[in-house]
Amino acid sequence: MTQITLPITPRPQDDLETVVETRTREWHFHIYFLLQSPDETAAALALRDAVLRLRRDGAFVAVPLNRVNKYPIGPHPAGSYEIWVPDSSFSEVFFYLASNRGNLSVLVHPLTSQQRRDHEHRNGWMGTPWPIYLDALPRESDEVPLQYPELRLGWSTAPEDEIPLEERRRRGAKVEELLAEDPEAAPAPVE
């Protein structure tokens, strides 16, 4: 009989300072489209234009890269374009794309110094996943590849614009207090 040993799942990180300091602050959404399909290409470009209009009008901060890939490039196997999003707009952009992508597939991944891990293990898909060419990506970089630092968002957020740890603790305590009598809300563990 063969014994199978499963890897031990690590305990989830729950130290406030570590979680806040190591959170992902920037994201990429890659919209994929079949180059052979004029309809799919048009749908992808219409979605891009809609994101640009909504950004202009203040719905969220999202920066589609000016280049639209009309051939496979890097790890991406088809026509595609990238949309950079700071963490402060992630929820709005995610919901917008999830609701308006039609049949297009969207790869979502964090932007960190570990590009290969971001694309391989920290990713998510809306729609059908596509195979991606991971050998085109470096495993580790010395720095996070900053994008659009002039916006002072994401990795470029000024320290004075961050929520201090004590304010986070105060807000967390207030949420616990408000939910204390709600039988449907699980209480936080008491250490």
Side-chain angles (χ1 to χ4, degrees):
M1 177 180 217
T2 304
Q3 181 178 356
I4 298 174
T5 304
L6 298 174
I8 296 173
T9 303
R11 187 171 187 272
Q13 180 57 255
D14 63 1
D15 172 67
L16 175 65
E17 187 172 358
T18 302
V19 168
V20 168
E21 288 179 4
T22 61
R23 75 189 188 278
T24 295
R25 297 171 182 229
E26 297 181 12
W27 296 82
H28 280 172
F29 291 79
H30 296 274
I31 289 52
Y32 285 11
F33 55 93
L34 283 173
L35 295 164
Q36 303 90 329
S37 169
D39 289 343
E40 202 165 291
T41 301
L45 296 177
L47 181 61
R48 183 176 184 272
D49 287 347
V51 167
L52 288 166
R53 280 191 296 279
L54 289 165
R55 180 191 72 201
R56 176 200 64 205
D57 295 344
F60 43 64
V61 176
V63 184
L65 196 63
N66 196 33
R67 180 186 71 230
V68 174
N69 302 319
K70 304 232 173 155
Y71 52 87
I73 188 169
H76 308 292
S80 67
Y81 59 87
E82 166 189 301
I83 302 175
W84 172 89
V85 176
D87 57 346
S88 56
S89 286
F90 180 86
S91 177
E92 292 91 346
V93 174
F94 184 94
F95 184 76
Y96 177 77
L97 292 175
S99 302
N100 291 278
R101 67 176 181 78
N103 291 326
L104 299 171
S105 292
V106 180
L107 167 64
V108 183
H109 68 80
L111 181 62
T112 75
S113 62
Q114 300 171 327
Q115 291 182 48
R116 185 164 176 160
R117 184 176 290 165
D118 294 344
H119 284 76
E120 183 176 22
H121 298 293
R122 298 174 177 154
N123 68 6
W125 287 90
M126 289 182 254
T128 304
W130 288 59
I132 56 177
Y133 180 60
L134 295 169
D135 291 345
L137 298 169
R139 290 191 182 275
E140 185 88 31
S141 303
D142 290 336
E143 298 178 0
V144 173
L146 294 179
Q147 289 186 282
Y148 314 107
E150 63 273 20
L151 297 177
R152 295 175 56 96
L153 297 169
W155 294 111
S156 301
T157 301
E160 62 270 16
D161 293 336
E162 291 284 340
I163 301 170
L165 293 178
E166 284 310 312
E167 174 61 16
R168 288 176 183 272
R169 286 186 182 96
R170 190 190 68 69
R171 290 178 185 184
K174 182 67 175 174
V175 169
E176 289 300 309
E177 180 185 320
L178 292 170
L179 294 176
E181 301 301 319
D182 188 329
E184 296 295 318
V190 178
E191 270 76 40

